[in-house]
């Protein structure tokens, strides 16, 4: 009787394992799953891989998108869910042409392709972690931004190209604004397309008491910037990283079925030529 019971347990166990393998091989659409947590907000997670993605959509607390790895003929199906400290990430790996073969290789511990993909995901995760350590911001405070006469230029670019376009225009704007008292320049952001990682903004210098130095370049214009803001934070880090706060604000409002109210404003209180480490560069963000 005891031997029969042992044989039954062995049979049931083997059958269950065999059934699980059969279902995995022929019915599970993905090959492997990678899970991790990150301090980055969901839309910031997306920004690290967005150039090779498609089918992005949002549902409640979750962002879904598919990343295409062309060299490996592989798809990574990302599921990024917001949590109190950042994001929970789940990635389903699918090999387009050899999914069944790769599943067999995985079961026999011979999948070099999977090792390459996992290594790539770890590299992305490290980039997120290193990036998050490079900046910080303070608790939001009630704050209003005074109106000011500025010399501005209208710009549209990829979010990551903001430093390049600012560097291209900063000297000429400062020269024609005659801002001898060195009032800090500002960025007035009129729209951010987080899905395409594009944004539209005005780069402005406060005009000095002497007025603008004429003739000003054709692309420059004078504008009284009047912005209704209610809060601000102090941001410490490279000015290229301010997008992380805007992404966090976007994700927070999205969960409340609300949207960002534009314009947003960045005021640059430190110069990149100050000699400070860029982790210490201070800007003030108004929203």
């Amino acid at each position: 009787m005891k031997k029969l019971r042992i044989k039954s347990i062995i049979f049931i166990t083997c059958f269950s394992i065999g059934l699980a393998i059969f279902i995995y091989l022929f019915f599970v659409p993905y090959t492997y799953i990678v899970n991790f947590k990150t301090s980055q907000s969901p839309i910031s997670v997306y920004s690290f891989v967005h150039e090779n993605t498609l089918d992005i959509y949002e549902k409640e607390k979750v962002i879904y998108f598919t990343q295409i790895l062309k060299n490996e003929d592989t798809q990574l199906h990302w599921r990024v869910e917001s949590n109190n400290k950042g994001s929970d990430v789940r990635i389903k790996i699918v090999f387009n042409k050899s999914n069944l073969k790769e599943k067999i290789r995985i079961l026999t511990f011979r999948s070099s392709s999977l090792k390459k993909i996992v290594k790539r995901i770890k590299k992305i995760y490290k980039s997120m972690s290193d990036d998050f350590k490079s900046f910080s911001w303070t608790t939001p405070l009630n704050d209003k931004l005074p109106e000011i006469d500025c010399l501005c230029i209208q710009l549209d670019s990829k979010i990551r190209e903001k430093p390049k376009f600012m560097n291209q225009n900063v000297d000429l704007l400062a020269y024609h604004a005659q801002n001898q008292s060195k009032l800090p320049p500002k960025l007035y952001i009129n729209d951010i397309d987080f899905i395409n990682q594009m944004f539209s903004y005005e780069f402005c210098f406060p005009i000095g008491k002497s007025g603008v130095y004429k003739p000003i370049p054709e692309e420059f214009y004078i504008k009284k910037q009047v912005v209704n803001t209610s809060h601000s934070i102090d941001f410490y880090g490279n000015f290229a990283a301010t997008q992380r706060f805007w992404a966090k604000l976007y994700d927070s409002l999205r969960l409340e079925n609300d949207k960002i109210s534009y314009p947003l404003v960045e005021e640059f209180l430190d110069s990149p030529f100050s000699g400070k480490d860029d982790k210490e560069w201070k800007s003030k963000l108004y929203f």
Side-chain angles (χ1 to χ4, degrees):
M1 191 72 172
K2 187 176 181 181
K3 288 182 179 181
L4 182 61
R5 186 179 301 169
I6 293 174
K7 287 181 179 180
S8 298
I9 293 172
I10 293 173
F11 172 79
I12 293 171
T13 302
C14 291
F15 178 80
S16 299
I17 293 172
L19 181 62
I21 291 173
F22 179 80
I23 292 172
Y24 167 67
L25 289 175
F26 297 103
F27 292 97
V28 175
Y30 53 86
T31 307
Y32 194 77
I33 292 180
V34 175
N35 294 296
F36 64 84
K37 295 180 182 292
T38 174
S39 298
Q40 298 279 5
S41 63
I43 206 67
S44 285
V45 172
Y46 166 74
S47 72
F48 280 87
V49 296
H50 82 280
E51 290 181 331
N52 297 312
T53 60
L54 48 82
D55 299 333
I56 180 170
Y57 66 96
E58 304 172 24
K59 186 177 180 181
E60 297 178 354
K61 293 184 178 182
V62 185
I63 294 177
Y64 300 87
F65 55 91
T66 300
Q67 181 186 4
I68 308 299
L69 304 185
K70 295 180 180 178
N71 293 338
E72 291 82 5
D73 191 33
T74 307
Q75 292 184 359
L76 304 184
H77 296 272
W78 292 66
R79 180 187 186 278
V80 188
E81 183 173 5
S82 178
N83 62 39
N84 293 331
K85 296 182 179 180
S87 304
D88 296 320
V89 180
R90 169 170 289 188
I91 304 172
K92 294 180 178 179
I93 302 172
V94 178
F95 294 90
N96 294 335
K97 294 181 180 179
S98 57
N99 219 29
L100 180 58
K101 289 182 180 179
E102 287 304 325
K103 286 180 178 180
I104 294 171
R105 291 188 182 113
I106 288 169
L107 290 173
T108 55
F109 305 99
R110 295 185 297 110
S111 179
S112 59
S113 296
L114 179 64
K115 289 179 181 178
K116 286 169 58 179
I117 301 302
V118 171
K119 185 177 180 180
R120 186 166 181 164
I121 293 172
K122 287 180 177 179
K123 187 175 180 180
I124 295 171
Y125 173 77
K126 186 178 185 305
S127 295
M128 292 180 192
S129 299
D130 292 344
D131 177 84
F132 193 80
K133 294 173 186 176
S134 70
F135 60 83
S136 62
W137 61 70
T138 59
T139 302
L141 298 174
N142 293 332
D143 203 354
K144 291 189 177 294
L145 189 65
E147 64 181 52
I148 190 167
D149 292 319
C150 294
L151 184 65
C152 305
I153 182 171
Q154 170 66 41
L155 298 168
D156 298 273
S157 72
K158 289 280 189 181
I159 294 175
R160 70 167 185 272
E161 293 179 332
K162 179 180 77 173
K164 180 181 77 173
F165 282 93
M166 289 176 61
N167 287 335
Q168 287 177 356
N169 292 283
V170 62
D171 291 336
L172 205 55
L173 274 173
Y175 172 73
H176 284 281
Q178 299 193 89
N179 187 350
Q180 303 300 323
S181 57
K182 300 188 183 302
L183 295 173
K186 296 178 177 63
L187 215 64
Y188 293 84
I189 302 171
N190 297 311
D191 183 64
I192 305 177
D193 180 350
F194 288 101
I195 303 304
N196 294 305
Q197 289 291 290
M198 297 283 298
F199 75 139
S200 177
Y201 53 106
E202 297 170 275
F203 185 28
C204 301
F205 260 82
I207 296 173
K209 293 180 180 179
S210 303
V212 298
Y213 183 77
K214 296 181 178 180
I216 62 174
E218 184 178 349
E219 63 270 24
F220 291 176
Y221 53 90
I222 297 170
K223 181 177 181 180
K224 182 182 287 293
Q225 292 286 8
V226 182
V227 180
N228 292 321
T229 62
S230 57
H231 295 85
S232 73
I233 57 111
D234 291 336
F235 187 95
Y236 295 91
N238 193 297
F239 300 148
T242 54
Q243 59 166 303
R244 301 301 175 211
F245 179 76
W246 301 132
K248 179 66 175 178
L249 181 64
Y250 169 85
D251 282 312
S252 298
L253 292 174
R254 180 175 58 86
L255 298 179
E256 298 172 5
N257 295 317
D258 203 351
K259 295 181 179 180
I260 289 176
S261 178
Y262 294 100
L264 307 168
V265 183
E266 300 181 358
E267 183 177 52
F268 306 107
L269 301 175
D270 276 320
S271 166
F273 307 104
S274 63
K276 291 182 179 180
D277 186 290
D278 62 0
K279 289 183 180 181
E280 299 176 8
W281 295 357
K282 181 179 179 182
S283 53
K284 188 177 284 287
L285 310 187
Y286 295 87
F287 55 100

